[in-house]
Amino acid sequence: MPVTTFDFKEKYRYQNGFGSYFETEAVPGALPVGQNSPQKPPHGLYAEKLSGTAFTAPRHENQQSWLYRILPSCAHPNFEESSSGPFTADKPYSPKKLKYVPNQLRWDPFDHNEQTDFVAGLRLTAGAGDPTLKHGVGYYVFSAGKSMEANSAFYSADGDLLIVAQEGVLDIRTELGWLLVRPMEIAVIPRGVKYQVHLPSGPIRGYALELYSKHFTLPELGPIGSNCLANARDFQAPVASFSEDFGATAAEGSNTYTIISKFNNSLFTTQQAHTPFDVVAWHGTYYPYKYDLGRFNTIGSISFDHPDPSIFTVLTCQSDQAGTAIADFVIFPPRWLVAENTFRPPWYHRNTMSEFMGLIGGVYDAKKGGKGGFMPGGASLHNVMSGHGPDAASYEGARNADLQPQLVGKDSCAFMFESCLMVGVTEWGLETCNKVQNAYNDHSWGGVKVHWKKPEGASTDSHLLK
């Protein structure tokens, strides 16, 4: 740290900044000067506006980009609903099969599936809300063993997808350019942006959050000041990159491209005769981006008491209630603990927010004991008002620790999807994945010791009037 050392080296150039206004062209002169939609755009391109918010959204929230492409996106036959894929109603991981339970849940590492590509390998584990109302979240685990077809592209009309790589490398081609995403990196693909995922180093596994509501922003820093946590300069957006595969008209190309649309949690497909990756230039504020979690500038207590986990928030999407998130993406990276006379791990608590956690690598400092354990590639869910906290072994260790300065989480990083929404769990998440640790509660907290000793002479009826 502060920059992760990756085994798989970077291969692309990027533009740096979060929420910045970018412009990029793969061919000189492809961007119009001084206007967005000239009568004849340069080089015979088509101008196409990509709107991530309403046209009239406030300026500080408005996200729009102008794309200059060889053929417009509308040039394709009708979509047809797919009878296969991970979102059909008959699948156990269908969003139509959510069950809401108060139990604490923990999963062993999820299986690899080397027969699927990224889209087919998505497994909805939990979620809440409704993409038709643009409100809610979906939590996924994914695994894949093969790249998407070169003549295919996927987009979601339902929401932005935050991808957390846990194993393997995702080489993501988007309409607006390429992103390389490795473990300890995240990527956000906005609603509507077409992309395909390639696997340059073998099978992949990870987690994803689909955000039906609004878009992610950086959390307010308040008294922290102008820097720390995730700094805007460390986010990376792609530069324009395009292919040429087209005929004299949109319908006359020699190849066929399959476009897959996720629309209200169903998949639809169409075929077109030209590549969707034909954006020669673009400018605006609506684009995919990635971030190296190693660049997160962690802060914490330097006196006493364990602060709220909100200080580890990388990205947030706020609800209409101030300070209350539809979704927070929070990480627990390597950091120093120095607080005095303090129980240093997270305290026991019950939360009005739901908490879904995953482990990218290493060991999480509050979940060291218990059979099964909290392991990389696994997950846990503590739903609204479900009590949780350190397991018994972690508690006893922290209770009796010599409080010297301590580096925790070395070579480790856990994360949390936190939401004000009560989330349901799919049939796959509860049963058919066969990864639920049924003895999680007993192994974690069944051995919690009683340390209470009533002081001599203390009364048990002090609440009564004498």
Side-chain angles (χ1 to χ4, degrees):
M1 309 299 178
V3 178
T4 302
T5 301
F6 296 103
D7 294 331
F8 196 100
K9 300 305 179 185
E10 184 58 75
K11 56 195 289 192
Y12 303 122
R13 294 187 299 110
Y14 300 101
Q15 307 173 92
N16 284 17
F18 185 89
S20 302
Y21 199 106
F22 289 134
E23 62 175 41
T24 172
E25 56 185 11
V27 173
L31 281 171
V33 176
Q35 67 178 124
N36 296 318
S37 186
Q39 184 180 21
K40 292 183 178 181
H43 305 316
L45 296 170
Y46 285 84
E48 178 179 276
K49 191 172 188 181
L50 178 62
S51 299
T53 56
F55 298 143
T56 52
R59 184 181 289 266
H60 70 281
E61 295 179 357
N62 206 295
Q63 295 188 29
Q64 318 276 337
S65 286
W66 281 91
L67 317 183
Y68 300 92
R69 61 193 317 152
I70 296 170
L71 286 167
S73 295
C74 55
H76 61 74
N78 286 342
F79 280 95
E80 300 291 340
E81 187 166 4
S82 174
S83 59
S84 62
F87 304 103
T88 54
D90 63 316
K91 296 293 196 302
Y93 30 82
S94 166
K96 298 174 178 63
K97 296 186 177 182
L98 291 175
K99 186 173 182 179
Y100 292 80
V101 296
N103 297 328
Q104 301 98 326
L105 295 169
R106 188 163 70 188
W107 292 268
D108 286 330
F110 295 97
D111 290 338
H112 289 282
N113 188 342
E114 299 192 7
Q115 305 306 311
T116 62
D117 62 19
F118 175 78
V119 175
L122 288 166
R123 298 289 180 264
L124 183 70
T125 308
D130 187 342
T132 67
L133 301 177
K134 295 187 176 178
H135 179 71
V137 292
Y139 299 157
Y140 299 85
V141 295
F142 66 82
S143 62
K146 60 182 182 181
S147 299
M148 291 175 62
E149 296 293 334
N151 283 23
S152 71
F154 171 76
Y155 76 90
S156 175
D158 291 348
D160 294 2
L161 193 69
L162 186 158
I163 299 169
V164 183
Q166 190 269 319
E167 281 188 1
V169 177
L170 290 77
D171 196 358
I172 305 176
R173 184 176 200 184
T174 80
E175 292 179 272
L176 285 74
W178 291 83
L179 296 171
L180 187 71
V181 184
R182 300 154 290 186
M184 285 298 291
E185 287 184 307
I186 61 170
V188 174
I189 311 295
R191 182 197 307 267
V193 171
K194 299 184 182 77
Y195 64 98
Q196 61 185 204
V197 179
H198 302 268
L199 280 54
S201 68
I204 59 171
R205 184 174 63 181
Y207 312 86
L209 185 161
E210 189 167 30
L211 179 65
Y212 308 149
S213 312
K214 305 180 184 178
H215 302 288
F216 285 109
T217 63
L218 295 179
E220 297 294 340
L221 294 179
I224 296 172
S226 55
N227 299 108
C228 289
L229 308 187
N231 291 311
R233 67 177 297 232
D234 293 320
F235 288 81
Q236 298 180 301
V239 298
S241 174
F242 71 101
S243 293
E244 294 179 290
D245 191 358
F246 51 90
T249 70
E252 294 183 59
S254 58
N255 291 314
T256 300
Y257 289 83
T258 300
I259 309 301
I260 307 165
S261 170
K262 180 175 181 286
F263 198 91
N264 188 24
N265 279 324
S266 295
L267 290 187
F268 294 78
T269 61
T270 188
Q271 279 76 41
Q272 62 186 45
H274 55 97
T275 176
F277 302 108
D278 65 346
V279 177
V280 181
W282 62 269
H283 69 87
T285 56
Y286 193 61
Y287 44 77
Y289 56 87
K290 75 167 187 170
Y291 176 71
D292 171 8
L293 299 177
R295 302 189 184 201
F296 187 79
N297 192 355
T298 311
I299 64 171
S301 173
I302 55 173
S303 55
F304 60 87
D305 281 353
H306 185 101
D308 293 339
S310 49
I311 61 170
F312 301 117
T313 302
V314 181
L315 294 169
T316 186
C317 175
Q318 293 291 298
S319 69
D320 294 333
Q321 182 177 351
T324 303
I326 297 294
D328 279 336
F329 175 65
V330 179
I331 65 170
F332 303 97
R335 59 205 182 279
W336 282 92
L337 301 182
V338 298
E340 296 182 310
N341 192 29
T342 291
F343 182 77
R344 288 179 172 176
W347 11 254
Y348 294 105
H349 68 293
R350 292 176 294 161
N351 194 351
T352 187
M353 310 284 278
S354 58
E355 302 177 11
F356 179 93
M357 286 191 67
L359 187 59
I360 298 170
V363 177
Y364 179 52
D365 59 296
K367 288 288 189 294
K368 296 177 181 177
K371 299 177 183 178
F374 183 49
M375 294 175 283
S380 68
L381 173 63
H382 302 127
N383 223 324
V384 173
M385 289 302 174
S386 295
H388 56 287
D391 57 45
S394 298
Y395 178 83
E396 291 300 320
R399 188 175 189 272
N400 298 298
D402 181 15
L403 296 183
Q404 299 298 315
Q406 177 188 12
L407 177 64
V408 299
K410 190 176 188 305
D411 300 321
S412 174
C413 189
F415 74 88
M416 181 165 66
F417 297 152
E418 186 173 62
S419 175
C420 64
L421 303 175
M422 181 182 292
V423 298
V425 186
T426 60
E427 178 184 320
W428 181 82
L430 282 174
E431 298 175 11
T432 55
C433 71
N434 292 318
K435 296 299 178 181
V436 173
Q437 297 178 8
N438 293 317
Y440 170 41
N441 292 46
D442 184 55
H443 289 158
S444 294
W445 303 297
V448 171
K449 297 179 180 179
V450 176
H451 293 286
W452 158 254
K453 293 180 181 178
K454 187 172 73 172
E456 189 173 341
S459 171
T460 58
D461 59 1
S462 59
H463 60 291
L464 298 175
L465 290 173
K466 301 296 184 181

